[in-house]
Amino acid sequence: MEITVDCARDCINGCILKEKCPHREHLAQTEKFIQETSLDKMLEMAEAARLKKLTEPPKWVIPDDF
């Protein structure tokens, strides 16, 4: 019996599947990033991403039945 979990909704307060979580690999990468990256560097990266998003041209979505 396989349990379906919506991680975005069900794991808000932490992973409910623990060791059975299919995203364990990502968790390890995230923990390593947090331990090795200073908060100042993270803020710098976030600001660079925000500025990049601001300078991108708008993306138009045209429906197929237009």
Side-chain angles (χ1 to χ4, degrees):
M1 174 188 215
E2 184 163 331
I3 299 171
T4 303
V5 175
D6 179 2
C7 294
R9 186 191 63 197
D10 299 332
C11 300
I12 291 174
N13 296 319
C15 183
I16 62 172
L17 294 177
K18 306 293 183 217
E19 296 300 321
K20 295 179 182 176
C21 179
H23 302 108
R24 295 294 295 170
E25 177 184 333
H26 301 293
L27 179 62
Q29 292 172 350
T30 303
E31 288 175 346
K32 181 180 178 189
F33 174 80
I34 290 172
Q35 289 176 357
E36 294 177 355
T37 309
S38 71
L39 181 56
D40 289 334
K41 181 65 177 171
M42 288 184 210
L43 292 172
E44 182 182 308
M45 293 166 71
E47 181 65 11
R50 185 184 76 84
L51 291 175
K52 180 180 176 187
K53 181 114 178 130
L54 286 174
T55 59
E56 288 179 350
K59 294 178 182 166
W60 296 92
V61 178
I62 301 174
D64 292 334
D65 60 349
F66 183 66

